[in-house]
């Protein structure tokens, strides 16, 4: 196993279809019009020396190493900036060019340290390679001239260092920050010989606008910007392509290794979701996998107040199976269930639901999508016929208008956020619907045309008002509707939406958004011509989550923005494999591929394949399981890679349910908050330690590859398999590929998927079957999956969560760039430096009336509970709305959130909680009690383990 | 009314409200379909028992949907 | 009595305002009816402040004028100590072929009626009666080439922009006159600003551009004021129709005179050279098709349109048609602007027109075409002033500057200065210019110090090759001209004191 080396073509590919034929060093080559001479040369294997050119960036033409001669043209043009022309005759090598290149290289080396042997880039340095390529043998200027060799290093970023002494001022880092990431944190300061790379105005990297995405480090051809891990460990010796285990973008990375140690994760250019870009989490925050907190031995205990006892795998599995069987014997087969993980692989998720349906004999399986995108599944399933986003990420490149609702891509889905910003810089128009002034509203060279800063909980009213304008102003695409949708349903919906109570003027008071803004946004969206909707949890996590998804689908259908590139309805999925976990049948009412358990034909497929009879009735959802536990009819739970005690709302209710159970089994990397209430702990494995697949938000199935052996001894699928066997099931997969074969065999939309195919294609977007052997980047092209698109009336119903004298403010929750979900991973990395605690964002006026100053401790209280955290006074909040994140268990933001949920799916209403904010004297009683219990519950009885 | 019954009534009413703009019979049918598709057996059993005990607080649409449903509740 | 006192910045620097004040005061005291006209400069700078009085025979001049010379103006004019006779007959002016600069100094630069009376707007009116294609063809036929230095045919550039399709196109005037010893742009902007406005309006009509920018230096405050006022007056008078014109100030970077760096600067970015292609004619200001021309190219256009292409093309030699405003500066007796048809020799310009050095010592070197132009030796004074003839001697016409040095000049220091200038003005984008200019300065220092002179001269020669063929723009690309011409034409100056001592 060696290193994967990607070819750098120097410049980006041309999208043109017309071919141009030219001659390079006597060889004929045909390339698309607009291709650079450099790229054309690389395509036929001719390497023209280069330093400032790289195919991730626009050509720049500054290093002057790639000069060539073109017959009939004066001078020596740079091959990176010169496009090919028909009949062009190019010479890339001759005595004159060799002398010129050597002359340039001689200048470079006259201001560069001569420490190649001890340099961290030794063996992976383009400057070194080019000095060799041009045959530099001597630097006649000597080394005593002006230079930058004493420039001080900047080690402020926890993951990489900046050593300006080694900088060749190629601007690749600056350009990457601008073109790829879109942050514009870096610049070239000064001019001439004094030109130097500078974060912001001569700031340290950590103090600058830098978001630590790593694009600059990736772009740097020398050791100037270098991962600290490489400086410590040396250059990697082999690599494998795998998929990031953070958000739903699903970035491809090369895991670059020394033996079983990760040297670094490098974004993979051929990754179809990220095209070589990354964010601070995926690129750098993988250290949790080796963190000292990681538990590697199974543990059991009789009571949750007991210390843990380490046991063998055999004992842990046998104990678990015995307990589950006992509970089923005593309380019926429906008294146990399980939760699949949206962070585990498709194969692992599939196996857990199979264990529950076939082994436990019930459908009590659910997943964390319950608390995030279950309304997406419901809403898009009902209207379009499939429970997933309609587009691939690349589609955004063709969008003219982008409508972002309740999503914060630059924090939550940063790599796609950068992609979106790039398109916006190219001129696409932006509409943001969000109570907060998220970064996208105004960021370098991007400004939203409309920001509808609505009051939390009024999504349906706003989306319906947009539709009202479209219908009443004659902006609907009737041709599309007649051809693709059910006209009678449309007519009925249009009659509903035309009503004056849906007009922008009527909802302005309710939503807090001026009518003119709503009208402007509606007209812009309708004008397109390509308008795309991207939405997130700000849409789904409401009592009307499903209704909003339906209203959004109506909007897209009414304007004909479905079924081609540049348009669509796109949920930005939260976790790496939340799409996959839903696809794999993690919901209590459906089998893999979103087929209801009551469907006899579908059940027959599984009954035949699994050799058992299956229940035709839906099982319990997570909140229902906890209700049933409190009620005594549900007593055992198998939780794989999910921390409901921190992530789910109304923590007191969750804890109450967990405490009521007799056997809670937690399978995780760490003793998470749920494990505080567990009786069995099965140590899990990280994404670096197993084979499998993840499916991202664009339905793209990508490989996860094992680069090290599991620290805990087994991959998660093996643990589930052991448990299944102990429960009496016959299960003997030798490799996850066999599980995927079973999925393909039993699920029509996955029929064409196999590890072999993924090996060959890199990735594939479902549906992938006989009808779509190469997968489906864009859905609903000629017809909707359900046949005709279905307009559904979604009326605004106010949430029952209301502000009043006791709780006058509305709390909404979200996430931040550096942290991920409950923080179990990111809190165990240096990312903690960016966001060491959850803070409460509050509008200056709301702070002022409460006498609260920036940075002070405040008590945040709702009818569910109260907690203490620090205030951050900021006008990005709307008046009357406060905001926090839920990354830290110390804060426990979910103590505050309520048990209200979406009417159709029980997705919790995280985004609207009536609260009060006041001065605080310290942690609340709940926080103190909880910390005390955590401490007790995490004790491990070391002696017993011997 | 126990906490569990409280929750079930709340949830059933919420579903009923989502269809409130439909003609009455259609709203009842849609609510019944939804309950059949997503509610687990013990939840249904429990709320039906609650209806038999008076069913206070349960709106008309979900009440009728549940009663309609009882006829073909699997054993 | 009509008295003219220039308000050109050269005249102002020499006290023209105080003179004007003194004239007013004196006239009032004497109860004389004096009309004071603040005209532009004629460009005869060694005579500034050049005061003129209208007489029956024509305008007579007095200069260089001081306030002390005021009272004598009210006596016998011919007896005035600064009396120069008829201005038109001053040989320096009389020998010129003023087409572009014909109106300079004649009237108040902001007097629209005077401008019109002197033939202004005839070109624009003609252009309005022509199709855009016809205008481009006319300019092409005139043989007008870029007066900024590159000498690219203006008509071809316009035609490219005209045929490009875009919803917005721009005309950009490069008035970032940074070459040492040049002042033609400033003179036209201060003495005849409507001429530039008219030229740009014609360009706008020729290519279908509705917006124009004049990018000039913050060091030209009077020019900026004059141009802005002229634009305002012309627009108010409805002469520009839908063409909108604005003046933008640079921040003093020499490289912003390079057209693509200028465009970046105009867009509000750091002024850094763009790689070409794409050419600005297709992807220019804000990525739209853009005519970017030197001030003098644009100012030449009204005459060409008014008098016809053949009339303009009748001047000049070879492929250099029309006239060039040669700017005589440095150590020269008669410093000023001399507009002449191409073809006059360098020697005539320096000796006959310029009158030799002002120090009175023999001329030793002339730097033609700005700080990046070649140093000519006296032995090359037979070179005709012509793009191709200069190029054949590794020289540049450039923006028309000629800077004269007498025999006390140390050419090694001048070569060093060229490298230092490049280092100082380098934007830092391309490697040869960014590092090479500094290494060049250091290496010439070694030569001056007598350190391994031959080896270092060879190294400088190699470096100049790298700069010439490797640089991204003309800053690095032309720096070798002064350096190598100094080394080639004045080899005796490249022997450091140590070497000289050793040789003795």
């Amino acid at each position: 196993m060696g290193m994967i080396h990607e070819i750098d073509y120097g410049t980006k590919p041309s999208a043109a279809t017309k071919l141009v034929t030219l001659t390079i060093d006597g060889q004929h080559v045909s390339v698309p019009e607009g291709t650079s001479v450099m790229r054309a040369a690389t395509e036929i294997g001719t390497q023209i020396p280069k330093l400032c050119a790289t195919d991730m960036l626009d050509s720049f033409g500054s290093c002057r190493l790639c000069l060539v001669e073109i017959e009939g043209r004066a001078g020596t043009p740079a091959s990176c900036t010169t496009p090919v022309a028909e009949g062009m005759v190019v010479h890339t090598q001759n005595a004159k060019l060799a002398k010129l290149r050597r002359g340039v290289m001689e200048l470079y080396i006259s201001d560069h340290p001569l420490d190649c042997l001890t340099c961290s880039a030794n063996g992976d340095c383009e400057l070194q390679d080019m000095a060799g390529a041009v045959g530099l043998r001597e630097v006649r200027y000597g080394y005593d001239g002006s230079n930058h060799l004493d420039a001080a290093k900047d080690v402020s970023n926890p993951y990489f260092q900046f050593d300006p002494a080694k900088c060749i001022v190629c601007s690749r880092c600056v350009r990457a920050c601008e073109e790829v990431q879109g942050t514009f944190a870096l610049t070239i300061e000064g001019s001439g010989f004094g030109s130097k790379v500078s974060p912001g105005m001569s700031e340290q990297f950590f103090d600058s606008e830098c978001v630590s995405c790593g694009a600059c480090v990736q772009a740097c051809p020398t050791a100037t910007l270098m991962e600290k891990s490489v400086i410590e460990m040396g250059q990697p010796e082999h690599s494998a392509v795998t998929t990031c285990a953070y958000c739903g973008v699903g970035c491809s990375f090369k895991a670059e290794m020394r033996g079983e140690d990760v040297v670094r994760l490098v974004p993979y250019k051929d990754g179809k979701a990220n095209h070589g870009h990354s964010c601070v989490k995926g690129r750098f925050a993988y250290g949790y996998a080796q963190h000292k907190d990681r538990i590697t031995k199974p543990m059991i205990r009789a009571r949750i107040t007991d210390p843990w006892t380490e046991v063998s795998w055999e004992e842990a599995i046998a104990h678990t199976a015995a307990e589950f069987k006992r509970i089923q014997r005593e309380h019926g087969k429906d008294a146990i269930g399980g939760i699949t993980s949206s962070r585990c692989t498709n194969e692992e998720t599939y196996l857990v639901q199979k264990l529950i349906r076939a082994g436990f004999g019930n459908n009590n399986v659910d997943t964390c999508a319950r608390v995030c995108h279950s309304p997406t599944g419901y809403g898009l399933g009902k209207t379009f016929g499939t429970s997933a986003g309609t587009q691939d990420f690349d589609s955004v490149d063709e969008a003219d208008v982008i409508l972002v609702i309740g999503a914060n891509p630059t924090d939550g889905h940063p790599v796609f956020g950068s992609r979106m910003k790039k398109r916006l810089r190219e001129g696409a128009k932006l509409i943001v619907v969000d109570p907060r002034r998220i970064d996208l509203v105004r960021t370098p060279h991007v400004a939203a045309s409309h920001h509808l800063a609505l009051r939390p909980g009024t999504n349906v009213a706003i989306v319906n008002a947009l539709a009202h304008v479209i219908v009443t102003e004659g902006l609907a695409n009737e041709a599309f509707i007649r051809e693709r949708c059910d006209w009678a349903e449309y007519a009925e919906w249009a009659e509903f939406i035309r009503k004056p109570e849906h007009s922008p003027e009527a909802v302005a008071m309710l939503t807090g958004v001026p009518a003119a803004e709503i009208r402007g946004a509606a007209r812009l969206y309708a004008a397109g011509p390509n308008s795309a909707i991207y939405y997130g949890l700000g849409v789904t996590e409401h009592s009307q989550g499903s209704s909003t998804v339906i209203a959004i689908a109506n909007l897209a259908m009414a304007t004909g923005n479905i079924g081609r590139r540049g348009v669509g309805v796109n949920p930005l999925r939260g976790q790496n494999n939340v799409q996959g976990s839903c696809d794999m049948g993690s919901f209590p009412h459906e089998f893999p591929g979103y087929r209801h358990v009551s469907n006899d034909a579908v059940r027959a497929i599984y009954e035949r394949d699994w050799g058992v009879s299956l229940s035709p009735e839906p099982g319990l959802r997570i909140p229902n399981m906890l209700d049933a536990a409190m009620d005594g009819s549900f007593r055992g739970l198998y939780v794989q890679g999910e921390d409901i005690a921190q992530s789910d709302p109304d923590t007191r209710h969750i804890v109450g349910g967990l405490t009521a159970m007799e056997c809670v089994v937690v399978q995780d990397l760490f003793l998470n908050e749920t494990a505080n209430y567990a009786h069995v702990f099965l140590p899990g494995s990280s994404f670096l330690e197993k084979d499998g697949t993840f499916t991202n938000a664009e339905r793209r199935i990508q490989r996860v590859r094992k680069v090290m052996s599991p620290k805990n001894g087994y991959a998660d699928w093996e643990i589930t398999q052991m448990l299944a066997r102990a429960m009496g099931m016959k299960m003997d997969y030798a490799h996850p590929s066999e599980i995927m074969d079973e999925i393909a065999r039993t699920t029509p939309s996955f029929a064409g998927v196999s590890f072999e195919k993924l090996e060959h294609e890199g990735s594939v977007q479902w549906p992938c079957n006989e009808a779509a052997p190469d997968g489906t980047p864009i859905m609903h092209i000629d017809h909707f999956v359900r046949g005709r698109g279905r307009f559904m009336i979604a009326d605004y119903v106010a949430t029952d969560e209301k502000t009043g004298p006791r709780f006058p403010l509305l709390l909404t929750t979200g996430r931040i760039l550096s942290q991920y979900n409950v923080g179990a991973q990111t809190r165990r990395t240096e990312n903690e430096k960016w966001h060491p605690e959850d803070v409460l964002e509050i509008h200056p006026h709301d702070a002022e009336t409460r006498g609260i100053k920036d940075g002070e401790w405040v008590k945040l209280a709702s009818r569910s509970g109260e907690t203490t955290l620090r205030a951050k006074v900021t006008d990005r909040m709307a008046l009357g709305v406060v905001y926090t994140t839920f990354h830290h268990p110390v804060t426990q933001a979910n103590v505050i959130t309520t048990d209200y949920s979406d009417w159709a799916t029980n997705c919790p209403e995280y985004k609207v909680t009536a609260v009060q904010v006041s001065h605080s004297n310290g942690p609340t009683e709940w926080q103190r009690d909880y910390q005390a219990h955590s401490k007790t519950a995490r004790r491990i009885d070391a002696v017993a383990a011997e | 009314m126990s906490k569990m019954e409280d929750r079930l009534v709340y949830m059933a009413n919420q579903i009923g409200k989502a269809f409130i703009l439909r003609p009455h019979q259609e709203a009842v049918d849609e609510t019944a379909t939804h309950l059949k598709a997503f509610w687990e057996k013990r939840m249904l059993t429990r709320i039906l028992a609650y209806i038999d005990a008076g069913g206070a607080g349960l709106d008309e649409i979900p009440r009728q949907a549940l009663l309609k449903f009882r006829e073909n509740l699997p054993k | 009595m009509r008295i003219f006192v220039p308000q050109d910045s050269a005249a102002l620097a020499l006290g023209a305002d105080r003179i004007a004040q003194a004239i007013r005061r004196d006239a009032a005291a004497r109860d004389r009816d004096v009309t004071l006209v603040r005209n532009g400069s004629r460009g005869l700078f060694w005579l500034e402040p050049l005061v003129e009085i209208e007489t029956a025979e024509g305008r007579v001049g007095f200069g260089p004028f001081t306030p002390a010379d005021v009272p004598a103006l009210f006596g016998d004019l011919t007896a005035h100590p600064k009396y120069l006779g008829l201005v038109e007959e001053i040989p320096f002016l009389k020998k010129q072929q003023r087409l572009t600069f014909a109106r300079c100094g004649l009237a108040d630069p902001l007097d629209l009626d005077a401008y019109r009376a002197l033939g202004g707007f005839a070109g624009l009116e003609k252009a309005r009666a022509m199709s855009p294609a016809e205008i481009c063809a006319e300019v092409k036929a005139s043989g007008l080439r870029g007066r900024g230095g590159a000498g690219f045919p203006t008509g071809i550039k316009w035609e490219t922009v005209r045929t490009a399709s875009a919803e917005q196109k721009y005309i950009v005037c490069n008035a970032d006159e940074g070459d040492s010893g040049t002042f033609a742009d400033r003179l036209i902007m201060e003495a005849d600003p409507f001429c530039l406005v008219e030229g740009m309006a014609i360009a706008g009509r020729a290519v279908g551009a509705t917006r124009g920018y004049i990018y000039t230096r913050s060091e030209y405050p009077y020019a900026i004021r004059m141009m802005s006022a002229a634009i305002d007056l012309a627009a108010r008078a409805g002469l520009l129709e839908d063409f909108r014109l604005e003046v933008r100030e640079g921040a003093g970077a020499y490289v912003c005179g390079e057209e693509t760096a200028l465009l970046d600067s105009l867009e509000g970015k750091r002024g850094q050279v763009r790689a070409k292609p794409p050419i600005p004619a297709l992807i220019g200001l804000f990525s739209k098709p853009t005519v970017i021309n030197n001030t003098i190219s644009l100012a030449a256009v009204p005459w060409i349109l008014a008098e016809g292409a053949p009339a303009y093309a009748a001047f000049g030699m070879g492929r250099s048609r029309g006239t060039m405003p040669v700017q005589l500066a440095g150590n020269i007796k008669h410093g000023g602007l001399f507009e002449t048809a191409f073809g006059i020799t360098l020697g005539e310009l320096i000796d006959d027109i310029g009158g030799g050095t002002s120090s009175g010592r023999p001329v030793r070197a002339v730097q033609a075409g700005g700080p990046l132009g070649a140093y000519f030796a006296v032995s090359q004074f037979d070179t005709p002033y012509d793009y191709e003839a200069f190029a054949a001697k590794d020289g540049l016409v450039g923006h028309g500057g000629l800077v004269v040095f007498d025999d006390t000049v140390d050419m090694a220091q001048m070569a060093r200065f060229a490298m230092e200038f490049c280092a100082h003005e380098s934007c830092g984008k391309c490697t040869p210019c960014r590092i090479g200019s500094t290494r060049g300065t250091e290496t010439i220092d070694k030569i001056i110090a007598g350190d391994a002179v031959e080896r270092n001269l060879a190294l400088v020669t190699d470096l100049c090759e790298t700069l010439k063929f490797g640089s991204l723009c003309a800053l690095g690309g032309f720096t070798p001209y002064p350096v190598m011409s100094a080394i080639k034409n004045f080899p005796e100056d490249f022997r450091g004191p140590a070497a000289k001592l050793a040789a003795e």
Side-chain angles (χ1 to χ4, degrees), chain A residues 751-779:
Chain A
V753 183
S754 67
F755 275 41
E756 198 187 346
K757 176 152 196 120
L758 293 174
E759 206 63 48
H760 194 250
E761 304 290 329
S763 69
V764 66
Q765 288 172 276
W766 69 257
C768 173
N769 46 33
E770 228 167 82
D774 298 324
T776 313
I778 308 288
M779 296 197 79

Side-chain angles (χ1 to χ4, degrees), chain C residues 2 127 206 270 291 316 320 378 409 416 454:
Chain C
R2 266 167 90 83
R270 168 192 173 80
V291 166
S320 305
V378 176
V409 68
R416 182 193 187 280
E454 291 313 321

Side-chain angles (χ1 to χ4, degrees), chain A residues 42-74:
Chain A
T42 314
E43 298 216 350
I44 51 170
T46 299
Q47 294 290 330
I48 301 174
K50 63 176 189 295
L51 277 171
C52 72
T54 177
D55 56 14
M56 286 288 287
L57 303 173
D58 291 339
S59 57
F60 194 58
S62 79
C63 77
R64 314 312 286 172
L65 276 180
C66 74
L67 305 178
V68 294
E69 282 195 312
I70 298 172
E71 289 183 12
R73 294 202 190 181

Side-chain angles (χ1 to χ4, degrees), chain C residues 463-483:
Chain C
L463 172 63
C464 282
E465 284 278 294
T466 307
L467 277 166
K468 187 171 175 180
F469 294 103
S471 296
L472 183 58
C473 83
L475 179 63
F478 285 6
T479 296
Y481 286 116
V483 175

Side-chain angles (χ1 to χ4, degrees), chain A residues 23 154 178 260 321 331 334 337 415 447 544 576 585 607 762 787 805 881 922:
Chain A
T23 309
D154 173 355
E178 292 175 4
E260 289 216 327
H331 303 279
D334 294 338
V415 168
Q544 279 209 291
N576 56 318
E607 288 179 341
V881 184

Side-chain angles (χ1 to χ4, degrees), chain B:
Chain B
M1 187 157 77
S2 78
K3 172 128 172 116
M4 178 143 179
E5 283 157 348
D6 201 18
R7 292 260 301 170
L8 293 174
V9 168
Y10 183 84
M11 284 161 54
N13 285 346
Q14 233 188 329
I15 296 163
K17 273 183 209 154
F19 300 108
I20 205 156
L21 289 180
R22 318 295 303 164
H24 183 75
Q25 197 49 50
E26 210 183 307
V28 171
D29 292 346
E30 289 276 6
T31 306
T33 308
H34 189 92
L35 290 164
K36 184 172 157 56
F38 299 110
W39 279 34
E40 201 244 9
K41 195 168 60 183
R42 81 191 88 170
M43 295 161 70
L44 294 168
T45 318
R46 193 65 177 270
I47 198 166
L48 284 165
Y50 178 74
I51 292 175
D52 291 343
L58 189 66
D59 294 344
E60 199 49 30
I61 292 172
R63 201 183 68 85
Q64 288 183 19
L66 283 157
L67 289 175
K68 174 185 162 181
F69 196 69
R70 168 142 65 180
E71 293 157 23
N72 24 8
L73 184 67
K75 281 288 149 233

Side-chain angles (χ1 to χ4, degrees), chain C residues 100 139 144-149 152 154 158 185 196 199 292-302 304 312 387 399:
Chain C
T100 306
V139 174
L144 177 65
R145 290 165 72 176
R147 298 297 189 234
F152 188 82
T154 305
W158 287 19
D185 293 359
L196 180 55
I292 175 160
N293 278 148
N294 182 260
T295 313
I296 304 308
S297 315
L298 289 164
V301 167
I304 292 168
Y312 191 77
Y387 289 108
H399 186 49

